[in-house]
Amino acid sequence: MQRQEPTRLNIVVNLKELLENGDLSQDLVLRDRDTIVVPTAESLDPVAIRQINSANFAPEEVPPFQVVIVGEVFNPGTHIMGEGMANLPELPTITQAIQRAGGIKPQANLRRIQLQRLTQAGELKTITVDLWQLLTTGDATQDMSLQPGDSIIIPTASAVPPDEIISLASASFSPRTMMVNVVGEVAQPGALQVPINTTLNQAILVAGGFNQRRANTGSVQLLRLHPDGTVSRRQISIDFQAGLNAPNNPVLQRDDVVVVNRSALTEVADTFEEVLRPVGGLIGISAVLNIIHVLTEDRDNN
């Protein structure tokens, strides 16, 4: 603070002492023609930012402002914070920005999120945020408050353990639902909107369960599209008694495809119907039995 005396005085005020220790001597009474100069911090300190935002001299109202969020979210780009967002603290936070951007993706690296902020002097400052600490230890200082013009960069993790994917899906900044596909011999095949952390067994039941007359109820195929564009295929034995995320009851991910194939008998019957359609009822029962035998042998040989 600068004060006009017979000679100009520069007075250093430490409001951190006021916030942390209640040192009222730091809250000086102003005089006519005093000038208050608030310098820029050398680095972004999550704890200090949280203290400032909860202080009585923080802004009472913050108008909507834009932030940019890119990387492992479902709707990257520029988003307006504060507009239409009820029950928020004075300044929106990183997790609320992620929610506004459609939620976090399963392959996000929560430990290396970057917050970039442009200071009044035009200097770009960057801090690494560890939202995994927020999820696992409740470290709320990681969920930093945002300011106009902030950018949030969410990188891709090289590998995410299955248990971390489950924890991430349960986070408040993850989408609440996802789309999966159950196709083939179920009562209601097609795209399904299901809650996050839905398992394979649950998805089959949401699709109406197996078509008991036609389905191979012993196993299904799980097709999964990976971030690098590759597709994996797993043959999974069905056990409706299996627990959460068991090897034969995995937790599904967005856009997974569950394929319920026909049973062996249904394959034979369908092929038999196609073969016999041109000849109608012109053949006898013995010929029909011979055709079934040949079709069964062909399927077993292939």
Side-chain angles (χ1 to χ4, degrees):
M1 186 177 74
Q2 296 177 352
R3 173 163 293 170
Q4 301 297 326
E5 294 280 348
T7 60
R8 189 172 68 176
L9 296 178
N10 290 323
I11 303 173
V12 177
V13 176
N14 189 345
L15 290 185
K16 187 176 178 66
E17 284 294 316
L18 173 64
L19 292 177
E20 294 183 349
N21 303 316
D23 184 359
L24 296 178
S25 67
Q26 301 298 326
D27 192 12
L28 297 180
V29 177
L30 297 179
R31 299 179 183 177
D32 186 32
R33 301 177 63 189
D34 280 352
T35 301
I36 301 172
V37 180
V38 181
T40 301
E42 295 181 359
S43 61
L44 297 179
D45 182 348
V47 176
I49 291 174
R50 194 171 187 85
Q51 288 176 329
I52 292 171
N53 291 335
S54 61
N56 60 1
F57 49 80
E60 293 184 1
E61 294 184 6
V62 178
F65 59 86
Q66 290 185 340
V67 298
V68 175
I69 180 167
V70 295
E72 292 296 313
V73 289
F74 287 101
N75 297 310
T78 300
H79 294 273
I80 300 177
M81 304 303 299
E83 188 174 49
M85 302 175 71
N87 301 320
L88 292 180
E90 285 81 359
L91 288 172
T93 64
I94 290 177
T95 58
Q96 289 158 356
I98 292 174
Q99 289 175 322
R100 181 54 63 95
I104 204 86
K105 285 186 174 181
Q107 293 297 318
N109 184 348
L110 292 186
R111 295 174 173 84
R112 302 294 301 172
I113 293 175
Q114 288 189 333
L115 173 63
Q116 296 184 343
R117 178 167 295 167
L118 194 63
T119 68
Q120 293 288 342
E123 182 182 359
L124 184 65
K125 293 187 178 293
T126 302
I127 186 172
T128 299
V129 176
D130 187 350
L131 288 187
W132 185 248
Q133 289 297 317
L134 173 65
L135 287 181
T136 56
T137 68
D139 182 4
T141 62
Q142 300 297 326
D143 192 16
M144 293 182 59
S145 299
L146 299 176
Q147 295 182 9
D150 281 353
S151 296
I152 304 166
I153 303 171
I154 303 178
T156 303
S158 56
V160 182
D163 58 337
E164 290 195 13
I165 291 178
I166 295 175
S167 297
L168 176 58
S170 302
S172 62
F173 47 88
S174 290
R176 300 272 62 83
T177 62
M178 62 181 179
M179 297 300 296
V180 299
N181 296 273
V182 181
V183 298
E185 303 301 334
V186 289
Q188 300 171 6
L192 303 173
Q193 186 172 13
V194 295
I196 295 295
N197 280 341
T198 293
T199 65
L200 174 68
N201 289 346
Q202 290 169 334
I204 293 173
L205 294 176
V206 172
F210 289 126
N211 183 329
Q212 295 296 332
R213 295 179 56 189
R214 296 179 56 84
N216 174 3
T217 60
S219 65
V220 300
Q221 292 185 69
L222 174 60
L223 307 181
R224 175 165 295 167
L225 178 65
H226 298 284
D228 61 1
T230 61
V231 177
S232 63
R233 180 194 301 263
R234 292 173 57 190
Q235 192 79 19
I236 300 177
S237 299
I238 293 299
D239 177 8
F240 283 111
Q241 303 302 317
L244 176 66
N245 209 34
N248 53 351
N249 187 31
V251 172
L252 299 182
Q253 297 181 18
R254 182 183 294 261
D255 297 326
D256 278 354
V257 180
V258 179
V259 181
V260 180
N261 292 315
R262 294 176 295 176
S263 65
L265 183 59
T266 301
E267 290 180 6
V268 170
D270 288 348
T271 307
F272 174 64
E273 181 182 354
E274 292 297 323
V275 170
L276 294 188
R277 185 173 293 122
V279 298
L282 299 180
I283 60 176
I285 186 63
S286 60
V288 170
L289 294 177
N290 287 336
I291 291 173
I292 293 176
H293 178 69
V294 170
L295 292 174
T296 303
E297 283 188 338
D298 288 344
R299 179 184 58 78
D300 292 340
N301 291 334
N302 294 330

